[in-house]
Amino acid sequence: MLALDFDMYLIDEGMPSTTDVEFNRKSGEILQERLRTTTIIIVSHQAQTLEKFARSAAVLLDGQLHMFDTLEEAKRAL
């Protein structure tokens, strides 16, 4: 997925699924670089992944999507 430049990336629980440390490091670096110029939407239950890559958050709660400017605000909503 990171081999091509897209206007937007949608990643659904797809953060590194391999135990290859070098691959995870390199893909993480590329993703951080893409965050500067591209919209990336990450759906994840992994707090570490969200803390590493997300700047803002949306939480689906009781069928309604709530938008937050920061991860800290989203955490307080839960």
PDB file of all heavy atoms in Angstrom, residues 59-66 68 77-78:
ATOM      1  N   VAL A  59     -14.758   8.926  17.394  1.00  0.00           N
ATOM      2  CA  VAL A  59     -15.185   7.767  18.174  1.00  0.00           C
ATOM      3  C   VAL A  59     -16.633   7.463  17.813  1.00  0.00           C
ATOM      4  O   VAL A  59     -17.491   8.345  17.853  1.00  0.00           O
ATOM      5  CB  VAL A  59     -15.066   8.046  19.690  1.00  0.00           C
ATOM      6  CG1 VAL A  59     -15.617   6.874  20.496  1.00  0.00           C
ATOM      7  CG2 VAL A  59     -13.623   8.336  20.065  1.00  0.00           C
ATOM      8  N   LEU A  60     -16.887   6.209  17.454  1.00  0.00           N
ATOM      9  CA  LEU A  60     -18.255   5.760  17.194  1.00  0.00           C
ATOM     10  C   LEU A  60     -18.822   5.262  18.516  1.00  0.00           C
ATOM     11  O   LEU A  60     -18.347   4.283  19.083  1.00  0.00           O
ATOM     12  CB  LEU A  60     -18.249   4.649  16.145  1.00  0.00           C
ATOM     13  CG  LEU A  60     -19.610   4.160  15.677  1.00  0.00           C
ATOM     14  CD1 LEU A  60     -20.396   5.303  15.036  1.00  0.00           C
ATOM     15  CD2 LEU A  60     -19.442   3.024  14.679  1.00  0.00           C
ATOM     16  N   LEU A  61     -19.827   5.975  19.016  1.00  0.00           N
ATOM     17  CA  LEU A  61     -20.389   5.674  20.319  1.00  0.00           C
ATOM     18  C   LEU A  61     -21.906   5.688  20.217  1.00  0.00           C
ATOM     19  O   LEU A  61     -22.491   6.696  19.824  1.00  0.00           O
ATOM     20  CB  LEU A  61     -19.903   6.715  21.335  1.00  0.00           C
ATOM     21  CG  LEU A  61     -20.214   6.501  22.800  1.00  0.00           C
ATOM     22  CD1 LEU A  61     -19.567   5.214  23.312  1.00  0.00           C
ATOM     23  CD2 LEU A  61     -19.696   7.685  23.610  1.00  0.00           C
ATOM     24  N   ASP A  62     -22.525   4.558  20.509  1.00  0.00           N
ATOM     25  CA  ASP A  62     -23.990   4.431  20.439  1.00  0.00           C
ATOM     26  C   ASP A  62     -24.533   4.837  19.072  1.00  0.00           C
ATOM     27  O   ASP A  62     -25.554   5.515  18.961  1.00  0.00           O
ATOM     28  CB  ASP A  62     -24.659   5.259  21.539  1.00  0.00           C
ATOM     29  CG  ASP A  62     -24.295   4.775  22.932  1.00  0.00           C
ATOM     30  OD1 ASP A  62     -24.136   3.547  23.108  1.00  0.00           O
ATOM     31  OD2 ASP A  62     -24.183   5.622  23.833  1.00  0.00           O
ATOM     32  N   GLY A  63     -23.829   4.447  18.019  1.00  0.00           N
ATOM     33  CA  GLY A  63     -24.294   4.703  16.658  1.00  0.00           C
ATOM     34  C   GLY A  63     -24.035   6.109  16.145  1.00  0.00           C
ATOM     35  O   GLY A  63     -24.438   6.431  15.031  1.00  0.00           O
ATOM     36  N   GLN A  64     -23.370   6.944  16.924  1.00  0.00           N
ATOM     37  CA  GLN A  64     -23.075   8.302  16.489  1.00  0.00           C
ATOM     38  C   GLN A  64     -21.567   8.506  16.452  1.00  0.00           C
ATOM     39  O   GLN A  64     -20.845   8.065  17.355  1.00  0.00           O
ATOM     40  CB  GLN A  64     -23.711   9.322  17.413  1.00  0.00           C
ATOM     41  CG  GLN A  64     -25.220   9.329  17.329  1.00  0.00           C
ATOM     42  CD  GLN A  64     -25.799  10.541  18.054  1.00  0.00           C
ATOM     43  OE1 GLN A  64     -25.091  11.423  18.491  1.00  0.00           O
ATOM     44  NE2 GLN A  64     -27.114  10.566  18.159  1.00  0.00           N
ATOM     45  N   LEU A  65     -21.099   9.209  15.411  1.00  0.00           N
ATOM     46  CA  LEU A  65     -19.684   9.491  15.260  1.00  0.00           C
ATOM     47  C   LEU A  65     -19.381  10.844  15.891  1.00  0.00           C
ATOM     48  O   LEU A  65     -19.984  11.860  15.534  1.00  0.00           O
ATOM     49  CB  LEU A  65     -19.296   9.497  13.779  1.00  0.00           C
ATOM     50  CG  LEU A  65     -17.808   9.579  13.484  1.00  0.00           C
ATOM     51  CD1 LEU A  65     -17.087   8.337  14.013  1.00  0.00           C
ATOM     52  CD2 LEU A  65     -17.572   9.732  11.989  1.00  0.00           C
ATOM     53  N   HIS A  66     -18.452  10.844  16.838  1.00  0.00           N
ATOM     54  CA  HIS A  66     -18.058  12.059  17.547  1.00  0.00           C
ATOM     55  C   HIS A  66     -16.629  12.408  17.150  1.00  0.00           C
ATOM     56  O   HIS A  66     -15.736  11.570  17.261  1.00  0.00           O
ATOM     57  CB  HIS A  66     -18.142  11.852  19.063  1.00  0.00           C
ATOM     58  CG  HIS A  66     -19.499  11.431  19.530  1.00  0.00           C
ATOM     59  ND1 HIS A  66     -20.464  12.330  19.883  1.00  0.00           N
ATOM     60  CD2 HIS A  66     -20.047  10.201  19.669  1.00  0.00           C
ATOM     61  CE1 HIS A  66     -21.561  11.692  20.244  1.00  0.00           C
ATOM     62  NE2 HIS A  66     -21.331  10.385  20.119  1.00  0.00           N
ATOM     63  N   PHE A  68     -13.070  14.628  17.507  1.00  0.00           N
ATOM     64  CA  PHE A  68     -12.260  15.264  18.538  1.00  0.00           C
ATOM     65  C   PHE A  68     -10.984  15.804  17.908  1.00  0.00           C
ATOM     66  O   PHE A  68     -10.400  15.182  17.025  1.00  0.00           O
ATOM     67  CB  PHE A  68     -11.910  14.261  19.645  1.00  0.00           C
ATOM     68  CG  PHE A  68     -13.124  13.698  20.329  1.00  0.00           C
ATOM     69  CD1 PHE A  68     -13.682  12.498  19.898  1.00  0.00           C
ATOM     70  CD2 PHE A  68     -13.718  14.365  21.376  1.00  0.00           C
ATOM     71  CE1 PHE A  68     -14.806  11.975  20.513  1.00  0.00           C
ATOM     72  CE2 PHE A  68     -14.855  13.848  22.003  1.00  0.00           C
ATOM     73  CZ  PHE A  68     -15.392  12.661  21.569  1.00  0.00           C
ATOM     74  N   ALA A  77     -13.778  10.907  26.355  1.00  0.00           N
ATOM     75  CA  ALA A  77     -15.154  10.633  25.964  1.00  0.00           C
ATOM     76  C   ALA A  77     -15.540   9.188  26.252  1.00  0.00           C
ATOM     77  O   ALA A  77     -16.717   8.868  26.367  1.00  0.00           O
ATOM     78  CB  ALA A  77     -15.359  10.951  24.496  1.00  0.00           C
ATOM     79  N   LEU A  78     -14.546   8.315  26.325  1.00  0.00           N
ATOM     80  CA  LEU A  78     -14.827   6.899  26.557  1.00  0.00           C
ATOM     81  C   LEU A  78     -14.967   6.702  28.021  1.00  0.00           C
ATOM     82  O   LEU A  78     -15.451   6.045  28.683  1.00  0.00           O
ATOM     83  CB  LEU A  78     -13.702   6.026  26.001  1.00  0.00           C
ATOM     84  CG  LEU A  78     -13.443   6.208  24.501  1.00  0.00           C
ATOM     85  CD1 LEU A  78     -12.239   5.404  24.086  1.00  0.00           C
ATOM     86  CD2 LEU A  78     -14.650   5.777  23.705  1.00  0.00           C
TER      87      LEU A  78
END
